[in-house]
Structure formats: structure tokens, C-alpha cells
Amino acid sequence: MALSKAQQAKADAYLEKFMTGLKRRNAGQPEFHQAVHEVARDVVPFLQDKQAYKDAHILDRMTEPDRVIVFRVCWTDDDNNVRVNRGTRVQFNNSIGPYKGGLRFHKSVNISILKFLGFEQVFKNSLTTLPMGGAKGGANFNPHGKSDGEVMRFCQAFMSELFRHIGPNTDIPAGDIGVGAREVSYLFGQYKRLENEFTGTITGKGLAFGGSLIRTEATGYGCVYFAREMLGTRGDEIKGKNCLVSGSGNVAQYTAEKLIQLGGKVLTLSDSGGFIYDPKGIDEEKLAWIVDLKTNKRGRVSEYVDKWGGEYHEGKRPWGVPCDLAFPCATQNELEEGDAKTLISNGCQLVSEGANMPSTIEAINIFIDNKLLFGPAKAANAGGVAVSGLEQTQNAMRLSWTREEVDKQLLDIMKNIHRTCVTYGKDGDFINYVRGANLGGFVKVADAMLAYGVL
Ligand code: NDP
Ligand code: 2IT
């Protein structure tokens, strides 16, 4: 797919013009610009010899959400104060299936972050091969320090508006940062009450009411399965490797669990306060303690050192600890250019993204220039939404598959995504997984949009 010098110059000029227009139309949305730029710089050269896509203005259409729903969420706290938050659902693209994607409750949530996440979700969901469009939603609600009653009232108020915009064949939300088992349960309970029907309109549900086995583990397990496939291309494996994991929420916990199961040594975990470094390795017992601390006690990772030893580095990220493999599993832009250079100079061979867009574009450039095995989020963390898709299927069939069955399907899907990345991203001896994921995700959605005509 190598372009001539003239074609490359034309593509570069078009990319610049396209990004200038996108930034003008979406002023003040830096995360959305970043996510689009990362995709467009692969898609624009790919489109050079594809007149049908160009004539149909596919890229302009794919970067404009189908709709954005914004609503007031009004609730009362434990002191009877009236509180107001802003709820949003970005229904980005439903060309290949009903809208699907998580809900994020975090103080930083804004339209730029939700549009970047919704845009990414379109490509990610396409890569899974399941029939799912892309969406994302959430609120600028901070669950930290809130009582269960406050979280319940917030979730019920949030769903009291969202319910009219979603449905099992329309839009199926799920969890993300700040939305775990507790929040999904409150949200689903309220949805069921308002609609007076029991359908799988939310995924990540409890096992007693339609949830799928392995959904809790899926994003983290999938991220490690993807890493294992990448290592396999160089005849290598996870066993014996020193691993850095950031975050300590859902994705980080099950990334760490699978790494330990496969013989890796997990040295770090983190939260928004800082990171812990345990040179002896975080084993299964220590990890179980962390899962309980973060999921049930809602504590801070800093508490780890009093119980298990090791070091706590306040306000810092773990990327300076020497390692073989790195798994950013906390949040966007948590791994910057300087971190990427440090990882490379410390001998890191692989980065597999559990979080969405954790690496900046400058960090990604360093990884690719140094031919590191770099698994971008839309490929490496697609296991979560893939098992959400399997949960929808089980709900529609009114049955539940075994743990082994779901895990096997998850593994097959991650291997398949890896193959797609190789097909679209092979560049001589090197596999550019960023390009592979972008083009592999793009083609199916673009073909569906072409087939529909102008809409
Ligand atoms: P959780 O809420 O379970 O955990 C989030 C973790 O990241 C916590 O440790 C949190 O720390 C930390 N974190 C959040 N924001 C920041 C920040 N601004 N700076 C530093 N640390 C931060 O969320 P998940 O594990 O579900 O999500 C983690 C990432 O994975 C997100 O990028 C999400 O979009 C992505 N993802 C999640 C999927 C899922 O199925 N859940 C699927 C695919 C991707 P603290 O406790 O201090 O807030
Ligand atoms: O970013 C993601 O893929 C998710 N938060 C999971 C979405 C889902 O619908 O399971």
C-alpha cells in the first residue's frame, strides 16, 4: 500500500485541511481532535486510491455523531441538598448494529471526552466482528465519597431520562470509569421499572439478573490475550516477564490477574493518588486484597504498603519502573512522550492498552519508531465490549453460557482482532497495530455507510 511521493504529499495536504475543519467545527474538544487525528492519519492515505469512499465523504460523515443527547440529572444528597449534574449520551454511529458502549461517571466528564470515547467505540466494536454500533455516555458525577444511597438516587435520576433513548435494539449502555456492578444494577433496576419489561438493555449486569460470566474479567483478560498474540509474532511469551499495570479498577484488576496466571510478575498498580511498586511482585493473594479494597471498601492503593510492604509514589505514574511489558489501564493520556522514551530506554518490549487512548500521539510515535509491540486500545481492550455483545446474545436467547464457553469465545475474538490488525497493518517485518486496527475497524463501517447511500 506504499504511496508515491506525490500521493503522500496529496494525502498530507488533505489530512491537514480535514483536521483544520474538524477542529473549527468542534472547538474546545482536544480529546476528540486527538482520537480523530490518530485514525485519520491512517485512513486518509488509505483512501487515496478509493474514489467511491472519497466521493461519499465517508470520513466527514464518520466523524460527525448521529446525535448527542444532553440532559439535566437532578437528585438529593444525604443532607437533602438538591444537586444537579449533566448527563450525556453520544450515539455516534449505528451503521453495523445498535449503539453500544459504556457510561462514565467521573468529575472530568465533558463532551470532548465522550465524543472521543464514542468515536473510538465505533472502530472497536467493528473489530470485534459482532453487530454493534458505537456510543458512549456518562455524567460529570463524582462517585468518590458518595454513600450507596446517593449513588442509587443519582443512577435512578440519570436513567429517568436516558431510558427513553435506549433499548435492546436501539442502544445498549454498559459500565466504564465510575460505573461498575453497583451502578449498573441501580441503572438496570430503574430501566426495568420505567419500561415494565425485562430485556438485556444494559450489559455488565449481575449474574442473578441476566449478566454473563466473564464480563467482569473480559477487558483485562482480553488485553492480556492480545498481548500474548503480539508476543507470539516474535516467538516470545508472558511467562517470566516483569509487568507494569496502571489503574486499580476493573480493567487493571483483571489484567493483573491474567498476567499472574500466565506467569508474569506484576510490579505496579495505581489510582489517581499515585502508584504502588512491589519489587517482590503482586501475587494472587495480594491482588485479591486490592480487589476487595477498591471494589468493596472503596479505598486507596496507598493502603497497600502498610499491609504488604513495597513503595508508594504519591502523585506519580509507574512508567519509570524498569519492565518488559506495560499495561496502561487507568485513563486517557496517562502515558506521555517522556514516559514512552523511559519505557524504551529501560528495555520495555510491549505496550498493550487496557484503557481508552492512554498513550498520547507523541508517545505512540515513539513506540512505532522503535518498533515496539504496541497494541492500541481499540484492538487490545475490545474484549470487554465483545463479551457485552455475548451477554446481549445470551439475553436474547434467554440462556446463559458457561464460564469456559464465554472465555473461549473471548479468546477467539481477541485472536481474530489480532489477525485483522496483521492483515491491515503489516509493514515489511513490522506490524503497525495502530494502522491495522484503524483500517480493520474502518472498512466494515464505511462499506455499510456506502451501501445505505446518502444518510
Ligand atoms: P474503574 O472506575 O473501575 O477504574 C478506574 C481506575 O483508573 C481507578 O484506579 C482510578 O483511580 C483510575 N483513574 C481514573 N481516572 C484517573 C485519572 N484521571 N488519573 C489517574 N487515575 C485515574 O474503571 P475501568 O477499570 O472500567 O476503566 C479503566 C479504563 O479502561 C478507562 O479508560 C476505560 O474507558 C477503559 N475501558 C473499560 C472497559 C470496561 O469494560 N470497564 C472496557 C474497555 C476500556 P481512582 O480510584 O483514584 O479514581
Ligand atoms: O470502552 C469500552 O469498550 C467499555 N467501557 C465497555 C463497553 C461495553 O458496552 O461493554
Side-chain angles (χ1 to χ4, degrees):
M1 201 205 60
L3 298 183
S4 69
K5 257 201 167 123
Q7 279 177 316
Q8 188 61 53
K10 220 172 137 198
D12 289 347
Y14 181 80
L15 178 62
E16 197 177 323
K17 188 164 158 250
F18 170 78
M19 285 307 303
T20 304
L22 183 112
K23 287 178 182 168
R24 194 182 58 240
R25 289 191 300 281
N26 301 280
Q29 299 178 9
E31 291 86 1
F32 181 54
H33 304 164
Q34 182 184 338
V36 172
H37 186 210
E38 195 235 275
V39 168
R41 66 184 187 157
D42 288 326
V43 167
V44 168
F46 177 73
L47 292 184
Q48 280 313 295
D49 58 355
K50 297 177 183 65
Q51 200 58 37
Y53 290 131
K54 286 207 281 190
D55 289 345
H57 283 257
I58 285 292
L59 198 55
D60 296 299
R61 289 158 63 182
M62 281 176 76
T63 48
E64 197 64 40
D66 289 353
R67 69 187 66 75
V68 178
I69 300 152
V70 182
F71 50 95
R72 181 179 64 238
V73 185
C74 207
W75 55 286
T76 48
D77 66 21
D78 287 344
D79 298 323
N80 267 327
N81 295 309
V82 174
R83 307 283 288 259
V84 187
N85 289 96
R86 182 175 300 160
T88 304
R89 184 73 176 165
V90 179
Q91 295 181 330
F92 218 107
N93 189 306
N94 69 352
S95 298
I96 62 166
Y99 302 109
K100 179 88 196 86
L103 295 171
R104 178 176 290 191
F105 293 166
H106 192 268
K107 60 185 178 189
S108 65
V109 163
N110 59 34
I111 190 63
S112 172
I113 289 177
L114 294 179
K115 278 172 68 179
F116 116 62
L117 288 163
F119 179 74
E120 285 279 299
Q121 200 80 43
V122 174
F123 293 78
K124 185 195 304 192
N125 293 3
S126 167
L127 281 168
T128 66
T129 71
L130 301 176
M132 301 184 290
K136 199 82 186 193
N140 60 340
F141 172 76
N142 181 4
H144 284 303
K146 302 283 190 306
S147 69
D148 284 350
E150 288 176 323
V151 171
M152 181 188 75
R153 289 193 295 281
F154 177 81
C155 289
Q156 291 179 343
F158 183 87
M159 187 51 79
S160 296
E161 173 58 35
L162 186 68
F163 86 99
R164 70 187 88 249
H165 306 290
I166 62 177
N169 298 310
T170 308
D171 184 355
I172 304 95
D176 192 78
I177 291 178
V179 179
R182 173 181 63 170
E183 292 75 17
V184 164
S185 306
Y186 292 145
L187 290 163
F188 182 70
Q190 181 74 346
Y191 178 81
K192 177 179 74 57
R193 170 159 76 174
L194 292 168
E195 287 288 5
N196 190 27
E197 65 174 33
F198 197 110
T199 51
T201 300
I202 300 184
T203 59
K205 298 184 290 296
L207 295 178
F209 47 96
S212 174
L213 287 159
I214 300 284
R215 175 61 189 91
T216 308
E217 296 88 339
T219 312
Y221 280 17
C223 180
V224 178
Y225 291 154
F226 194 83
R228 187 167 61 176
E229 291 302 303
M230 290 198 287
L231 283 170
T233 64
R234 295 190 181 168
D236 208 346
E237 59 179 7
I238 282 166
K239 194 162 182 222
K241 296 290 190 299
N242 286 322
C243 306
L244 306 184
V245 179
S246 68
S248 51
N250 173 265
V251 179
Q253 290 166 11
Y254 293 96
T255 295
E257 181 171 286
K258 186 52 76 179
L259 285 170
I260 296 167
Q261 283 172 10
L262 296 179
K265 185 171 178 187
V266 176
L267 298 175
T268 64
L269 285 168
S270 72
D271 62 20
S272 53
F275 79 91
I276 49 159
Y277 168 42
D278 186 341
K280 295 198 193 109
I282 299 168
D283 60 17
E284 275 173 5
E285 187 189 358
K286 296 171 182 174
L287 182 63
W289 184 88
I290 292 210
V291 171
D292 179 53
L293 173 82
K294 297 303 285 187
T295 316
N296 304 320
K297 303 198 173 76
R298 301 188 189 273
R300 314 300 303 156
V301 285
S302 56
E303 296 168 45
Y304 181 92
V305 289
D306 291 337
K307 172 82 181 163
W308 304 103
E311 301 165 15
Y312 175 63
H313 297 265
E314 191 169 341
K316 297 255 164 40
R317 298 161 179 166
W319 314 125
V321 176
C323 72
D324 304 305
L325 319 175
F327 297 84
C329 296
T331 194
Q332 64 274 357
N333 293 330
E334 57 166 316
L335 200 165
E336 298 173 291
E337 186 174 12
D339 302 316
K341 287 182 180 159
T342 306
L343 283 168
I344 302 267
S345 64
N346 282 339
C348 178
Q349 305 154 30
L350 171 147
V351 173
S352 189
E353 295 188 322
N356 283 308
M357 206 169 78
S359 310
T360 62
I361 291 207
E362 294 75 22
I364 294 174
N365 291 343
I366 303 271
F367 293 146
I368 292 179
D369 289 350
N370 284 278
K371 297 199 174 346
L372 189 110
L373 292 169
F374 175 69
K378 56 175 79 68
N381 76 30
V385 74
V387 173
S388 278
L390 302 179
E391 181 173 330
Q392 287 175 254
T393 305
Q394 293 168 79
N395 293 160
M397 295 165 78
R398 299 198 190 283
L399 50 76
S400 343
W401 293 328
T402 62
R403 207 181 150 81
E404 291 69 32
E405 172 63 27
V406 181
D407 196 28
K408 183 184 172 305
Q409 291 203 44
L410 169 63
L411 178 59
D412 287 348
I413 289 170
M414 297 314 296
K415 284 185 174 176
N416 200 21
I417 295 174
H418 183 268
R419 268 195 297 275
T420 303
C421 289
V422 174
T423 302
Y424 285 96
K426 205 157 172 31
D427 189 358
D429 286 345
F430 178 60
I431 301 161
N432 181 334
Y433 289 94
V434 177
R435 182 180 301 149
N438 285 336
L439 300 184
F442 169 82
V443 168
K444 194 168 144 196
V445 180
D447 285 349
M449 291 177 79
L450 268 190
Y452 293 136
V454 180
L455 348 134

